[in-house]
Amino acid sequence: MRSVPIVDRVTDAFFALDTGFRFTYLNERAETLLERSREELIGRVMWDEFPQTVETQFPDGFHRAMDEQVPVSFEIYHMPLETWFEARAYPSTTGLSVYMRDVTERKAQETTLAQHAAVVEAVHDAVVTLDRNREIVTINGATESILGAERSAIVGEHVETLTELAGIDDQHAVDIGRAITDVDVRNADRRQLELPYVGPDGDDRMAEFRFVPIEDNTATVAAVVRDVTDRHEYDRVVTSLHEITRWLLESDDPEEICAISVHAGSDLLDLPISGVWLLEEERGYLEPVAGTAGAHDEFGGLPRFNAGEGLVWDVFEAGEVELFDDLESVDGLYNPDTTLGSEIIAPIGTHGVLMTGSLKPHWFDETDVDLISTLVENTRAALDRAEREQVLRDRTTELERQTERLEAVADVLSSDLQRQLEAVADALEDDRADEWEFPLAEDTVETTLDRTEGLVDDIREFARNASRVGTRSRLRLESAIADAVGESRLDEAAVVVDGSAVLRADPDRFSHLLETAFDSAVARADGDVTVRIGLVGFDDDGSRGFFVLDDAAKIPPNAHDRVLDPTADDETAIDGLGLALVRAIAEAHDWECTVTNGDGGTRIEFRDVTTLERRLE
């Protein structure tokens, strides 16, 4: 039996070349690789038979091995076979012995590992691999950034070096060790921990540690460390915002609620330039009610926004939270010269808006928008609740006041009518028929009945709830005065109007207010009376309003408050409801009514008439 040469028994392709690079031998694997038989190639020059190899590493490698008499090796890709080979050439005085090994699988593994390594380097999470001795085998660039240390100072060290660099306390370091052991000995497929650590700048941070097993020549466990400080901070802030909701709901004062909201945003969300505006429903503008110190320092106070003014009003009308990244590129600014670079404006339902700004553009992100949306939603709920409770309180107070007033009205009516009836009874008892004269002739029975009818009218006015008014209309003050004079006992010539103005009021109720005030002056006058009406609050920066000043008998100072409430049990009381009805109608319009003495007579003053505007002739 013919023996098989050793080189034919090896799995590598093998061929021999003489000093002229002519084939002197090929094993079977080489014949398969080159797709040529021994008989075809022996004695022929390699470069002639395989010209395509001239453009590869073969010529340089083989010439170097031959010239320098040193072994060479290189890797080459065989296109037809789609195979990577490692070529190794060993020189001798007679030529070269060339071995070619299939390394396709190794190259694929290396490519995969390289890709994995590239991915590991690219991720933002820190990735650390450990061997069975808990020594660090590899780390990626993110690990260097998180720890603030160079790779050379970490690789090869025990994992304790990592926990020390991260400022992890002893107990948490023990927890990390247990997690690594559980994964290494396959007690668990993975372990996950969230632990505090110290960042490279010395700041307290939070990290998520995930430990998984790996199959590698040296490493057995991989640790993936993700910084979750922002997520923890977000969760903390959301929890705190919900806690603040409790404070908000404990308050029934809208301005206090807005102040809590603004300062919560400043402290929790790091929003030092913030403010809240609430809608002033009667006059239709957004009024600033709360602001941070940073907002006041930057702007010297917060502006009022009328309808259609600036982004704040636009967002309030639209009803959706808006983020403006770069105000320099935004049209419609209230103040084109603003120092703000970016801002978030968030409607608080129909109540108003919260605005927060930064001096830098692109300062806010969607997380800020989410958190501010949560804050304003909680604020809206608190304001809704405060509004409902205020309505309930107002109704309760009004019912109590109405009950008291109706009881007082009943006393007035009873007392006044009784006096009238007693006067008539006294006259009828005087039985001097031949000299009889109706004792009320001075006033006449018609006057007495008119007085009684007036009392009934006043009662009717209270019965329809003097604390309520109907639809308010825009009125000219002079016209309203003229209409009231025509219905009162006052002569038209006795009225002097000092200023022209317009206001919004219930026309019928306002006319009745003026008519009653005029009749009160006539009732206190012994003869002619003059009534002067003028404006207040325009020149002294006080609350706006108007006054009614008469020169009839003065109401005594100790009766100024009493005449504004219906009463019949005081010697200073004036017959009927009179000025009590004036006050009730004024308060129904949310105006303040007071009585004082001045300029020789009695002055009835109405303040807080916010819709009153001076009219230029």
Side-chain angles (χ1 to χ4, degrees), residues 16-159:
L17 302 174
D18 64 16
T19 55
F21 299 104
R22 287 183 291 267
F23 287 98
T24 61
Y25 183 80
L26 295 88
N27 69 356
E28 292 180 358
R29 177 64 176 151
E31 288 181 299
T32 302
L33 173 64
L34 299 178
E35 297 180 340
R36 302 279 291 275
S37 67
R38 296 174 185 170
E39 288 75 13
E40 293 177 284
L41 292 178
I42 289 177
R44 298 184 178 276
V45 177
M46 179 178 180
W47 319 127
D48 295 337
E49 298 301 316
F50 300 98
Q52 67 270 21
T53 61
V54 174
E55 302 298 327
T56 66
Q57 300 100 311
F58 279 113
D60 290 341
F62 286 1
H63 280 290
R64 177 171 175 265
M66 195 79 76
D67 294 343
E68 299 180 12
Q69 289 294 296
V70 293
V72 296
S73 66
F74 50 86
E75 292 177 350
I76 187 167
Y77 184 69
H78 191 281
M79 185 70 70
L81 296 180
E82 297 182 348
T83 305
W84 278 95
F85 288 96
E86 179 187 52
R88 290 171 291 142
Y90 298 95
S92 69
T93 56
T94 59
L96 290 177
S97 297
V98 180
Y99 293 86
M100 294 183 65
R101 173 173 296 176
D102 185 342
V103 292
T104 304
E105 184 177 348
R106 176 171 63 78
K107 290 291 289 187
Q109 291 177 345
E110 290 177 354
T111 300
T112 300
L113 290 174
Q115 291 172 342
H116 289 174
V119 171
V120 169
E121 282 297 324
V123 298
H124 297 294
D125 296 343
V127 180
V128 179
T129 60
L130 306 171
D131 64 15
R132 293 196 181 281
N133 296 322
R134 307 295 181 264
E135 291 180 353
I136 299 169
V137 178
T138 62
I139 67 170
N140 65 347
T143 308
E144 294 179 286
S145 299
I146 288 178
L147 297 177
E150 294 184 1
R151 195 172 310 210
S152 58
I154 301 174
V155 173
E157 299 295 327
H158 194 273
V159 70

Side-chain angles (χ1 to χ4, degrees), residues 11 57 244 258 288 301 395 445 483 565:
T11 58
Q57 300 100 311
I244 287 169
C258 293
R395 287 178 179 173
V445 171
D483 292 342
D565 280 309

